[in-house]
Amino acid sequence: MDRKATYHLFLDEAGDTTFYGKGKIPIIGHEGVSKCFIMGMVRFNMPLSEITERVVSLQNFIANDSYFRGVPSIEKKRNKFGYFLHAKDDVPEVRKLAFDLIRSLDCTFEAVVARKVYSLYERKHNGREVEMYADLLSHLLEGNLDGRSRLVLNIAKRTKCTTHANLQLGLRKGIDRFKLNNIETSVNPEVVFNVQQPTSEPLLNLADYCCWAVQRVFEKGETRFYDYIKDKVTSVVDLYNPGEEDKKHYSPLNPLTKVNWIK
């Protein structure tokens, strides 16, 4: 009999994987192009049905409250497929409500940050965004592959990157990373990929908010959103700082600061 417990993890990202414009012109940091790509994962330690109900309730409140009537980012979603939380688009008042909800939950968040370095993109990822995505996924999964539980990875859809083949590539790389640090451990994790649209899975919206809070530190030097939820952010791995192959690890006891701002 299979006695493994099943854990649902919720994965989203922030930033983009754009390095070049037309004619392969370098455009990192240009308007609308991020300086880093972030992948993050939320683990909830309470019934998912309860959290889902609370997220949906908040989204319905925002969509129907007269204070938010006429806000373009809310009206557009509400009229098209129903309002859902999305940190980049939401107005400050909505962000406060969403972060308050996250603070009230029993959950943890892990993130991997990849500063966009042209030489690394070409050498490590062969200039392909799908390989970059798979590599970040492997770093994110590495510490969760001991095989003692069944993992269901609920992943925000990203057309080219979240194909089954590319997710399997990220998983295999993650297993290899785990084995490097656990030589005597035999691991055969049971992992299920569940690729979903953020419009249909409310819990992905909380992963989006956590990713955005970390992103603001690296992109803008703005720490207040991260500081507000940092007790939930158990791990942030800055992959390429300060040198090409160096990692830096951050936690609530060693938090991100304005020093992490990519200028």
Side-chain angles (χ1 to χ4, degrees), residues 55 58-60 62-63 67-68 71-78 81-99 101-102 198 202 204-210 212 216 222 224-225:
V55 176
L58 176 58
Q59 292 181 157
N60 288 338
I62 293 166
Y67 180 82
F68 297 112
V71 175
S73 62
I74 295 175
E75 293 293 335
K76 181 179 179 180
K77 293 176 189 171
R78 190 163 66 91
F81 32 58
Y83 174 73
F84 67 98
L85 294 167
H86 189 230
K88 181 173 74 70
D89 298 332
D90 286 336
V91 294
E93 298 95 326
V94 169
R95 289 178 187 150
K96 177 64 164 61
L97 295 172
F99 282 125
L101 174 59
I102 291 169
L204 282 176
N205 303 334
L206 302 185
D208 165 77
Y209 257 80
C210 292
W212 185 84
R216 296 295 289 188
E222 189 174 20
R224 67 188 185 96
F225 303 107

Side-chain angles (χ1 to χ4, degrees), residues 81-236:
F81 32 58
Y83 174 73
F84 67 98
L85 294 167
H86 189 230
K88 181 173 74 70
D89 298 332
D90 286 336
V91 294
E93 298 95 326
V94 169
R95 289 178 187 150
K96 177 64 164 61
L97 295 172
F99 282 125
D100 281 345
L101 174 59
I102 291 169
R103 278 168 56 99
S104 73
L105 300 175
D106 184 358
C107 65
T108 58
F109 177 72
E110 303 171 49
V112 176
V113 180
R115 296 165 184 255
K116 288 160 67 174
V117 180
Y118 292 107
S119 60
L120 284 178
Y121 184 59
E122 297 297 338
R123 177 167 58 82
K124 289 178 67 71
H125 309 127
N126 298 306
R128 301 181 68 236
E129 66 170 301
V130 293
E131 291 191 27
M132 182 178 183
Y133 184 99
D135 193 47
L136 262 70
L137 178 61
S138 73
H139 283 280
L140 194 60
L141 296 181
E142 177 185 351
N144 295 275
L145 296 174
D146 56 20
R148 289 178 294 186
S149 57
R150 178 176 181 266
L151 300 180
V152 178
L153 304 181
N154 300 279
I155 301 177
K157 185 174 182 179
R158 189 181 180 90
T159 305
K160 294 180 181 179
C161 298
T162 53
T163 63
H164 184 71
N166 203 49
L167 294 176
Q168 286 290 339
L169 173 61
L171 174 59
R172 289 195 302 272
K173 288 169 68 72
I175 292 172
D176 289 343
R177 292 185 188 283
F178 179 86
K179 288 180 177 178
L180 281 175
N181 296 314
N182 302 271
I183 299 175
E184 297 181 358
T185 302
S186 176
V187 59
N188 184 28
E190 185 178 352
V191 178
V192 176
F193 296 109
N194 187 17
V195 179
Q196 302 191 66
Q197 295 286 359
T199 53
S200 60
E201 176 45 78
L203 300 189
L204 282 176
N205 303 334
L206 302 185
D208 165 77
Y209 257 80
C210 292
C211 286
W212 185 84
V214 171
Q215 181 193 30
R216 296 295 289 188
V217 179
F218 285 89
E219 295 282 348
K220 303 290 186 181
E222 189 174 20
T223 64
R224 67 188 185 96
F225 303 107
Y226 164 77
D227 288 341
Y228 197 56
I229 61 166
K230 72 179 179 184
D231 288 345
K232 309 294 184 182
V233 185
T234 56
S235 173
V236 176

Side-chain angles (χ1 to χ4, degrees), residues 25-42:
I25 297 174
I27 57 171
I28 294 175
H30 288 205
E31 183 67 29
V33 181
S34 68
K35 300 172 187 173
C36 63
F37 181 62
I38 298 170
M39 187 177 295
M41 177 171 68
V42 178

